[in-house]
Amino acid sequence: MVQTLINAISLGSIYALVALGIGLLFGVLKVINFAHGDFITIGAFALIIPSSQAAAEMGIGLMPWPLVIAGVAAVVVLTALAAEFLVFRPLRGADSATVMIASFALGYFLQSSLLLVFGSRPKSVNLWSQLNVPVVLGGAETSLLQIIIIAATALLIAGLGFLMRYTSVGLAMRAAAENFRMARLVGVRANLVIGAAIALSGILAAAVSLLIVVQTGVLSYRMGVPLMIFGFVATVIGGMGSLLGSAVGGFAVGIVSVLAQTFLPESARPFRDAVVFSVVFLVLMLRPKGLIGGGQRGERI
Amino acid sequence: MTLAIEHLEVSYGRLAAVRDATVTVASGEIVALVGPNGAGKSTTLLAAAGALQPRGGTITLDGASLLGLSPEQRVRRDLAMVPEGREIFRTLTVAENLTVAAGAGRAKPGTAEVMDELLALFPILRERLRQPAGQLSGGEQQQLAIARALMTRPRYLLIDEPSLGLAPLVVKRVYEMLTELRRRQGLAILVVEQSMRRVLSVADKVCVMRDGRVVATFAGEDLSDRRRLEQVYFGLAD
Ligand SMILES: Nc1ncnc2c1ncn2[C@@H]1O[C@H](COP(=O)(O)OP(=O)(O)O)[C@@H](O)[C@H]1O
Ligand SMILES: [Mg+2]
């Protein structure tokens, strides 16, 4: 039981991090960045030396762990900032649908680039595999990695909360998320706020890259796609535009998913995702604005 | 030292909301822009503040064009705006509403002093500093919106229908503050109202707008000819 709970929370943690990354940018741009999952993929591939060989050769991944984290974060943040400069900024003032389609295109572009450089076959990599050791906690057996995933997520959420609450860029982001035009009219720099939001979403994506690679040990050029879907769903059921909602939505999706996996009869397991999406549907029927929805005005620049 | 909006034209898609608006505000002046609902007053202010791109005309501050500058850049040129409906940040506290405007402005020294000064001017805000701004009453929100604009230390203040939805006594108080600000800091104010009555006692100059055009400007002596002002306002005379 405790084991199931830990599984649920650790899967929920991953989804919460993805949802927060999506939610941060949605807050200021009012656009879902569909390339967010591919930012995660980029972070994962950043670990190895570019090559289309079937066997992956570690590059950044061989460095001491703080440098691995910094290196992967740097690659993803730079990718995110490049996306801002080359895709989002030129489309400032375009309507949401246009920008969203552009982010789709960006996602495909990133996937194709990875395909070109690394080939289509999944590669197995071995990063920090010593974390996969079993540990006993409260009488239940789990792995050190699960605990680390949960702890890292808690740390990142706390850090993000602190930044939003107590720093001037966080304050500017909150003001811009509520009313972008008004924020500009009191002098908040639009580009600065959007740049900060996308860079932060890059950091969250990089964290997911690392956690996922350690957990699965596999790289594939579409690995970010399912994460993006679940993260997006989490953002929606949490309540678009609320960061707390994104986090709550992520945990909710993770927990429902693990419960379905655990308690569905064997024959129904393949329908786990269908169950998850049914629950999502139900939530949206009952609370169209999401679990933590409300007050936000959907205004754009 | 003048904010000059000349022959302004602004459209929303096909709709020409402002066709020919000329309004100038010299430093230390209070200028009123009045006209019926839909005349194009708010559109004119938003274009001046940089939130809308004009299709024609010029906007200059102290002789330098503001066209092409973003709203946040115009704030750094000492232009501030209090929009229609106040648009305070409801989810932020009163203190955060003020701080966000200070932090965003050019790094002027003495932000703490400005905040203190403003809180002395709007004592009700001091009592509510830690409350979410959405909980304030309409009059308090209007004061917060004005204080927030003043946190950027503007020389020119654009304010759109400050009396909207407020009780007459509160409106009176808001206008007393505006004149006080002009007297104390030489602040130039461009105030938009629908009704002529409210602004006549405070304005140095009144511009009447109708159907996207500023059709007449009254100053000095002319301001005391109420009958004529009313005729122009209602389109009975030019
Ligand atoms: N966001 C908008 N989109 C389309 N039309 C608008 C918008 N805002 C105002 N308008 C139209 O532009 C005209 C001028 O509006 P506005 O500047 O708000 O007038 P006023 O402030 O004098 O009441 C009106 O016909 C109004 O319906
Ligand atoms: Mg108006």
Side-chain angles (χ1 to χ4, degrees), chain A residues 169-190:
Chain A
V169 73
L171 177 58
M173 276 197 276
R174 280 187 290 141
E178 184 181 327
N179 185 341
F180 206 101
R181 186 180 79 180
M182 192 60 231
R184 300 188 75 180
L185 286 173
V186 297
V188 169
R189 290 183 183 86

Side-chain angles (χ1 to χ4, degrees), chain B residues 39 94 104 117 152:
Chain B
V94 168
E117 218 174 279
T152 67

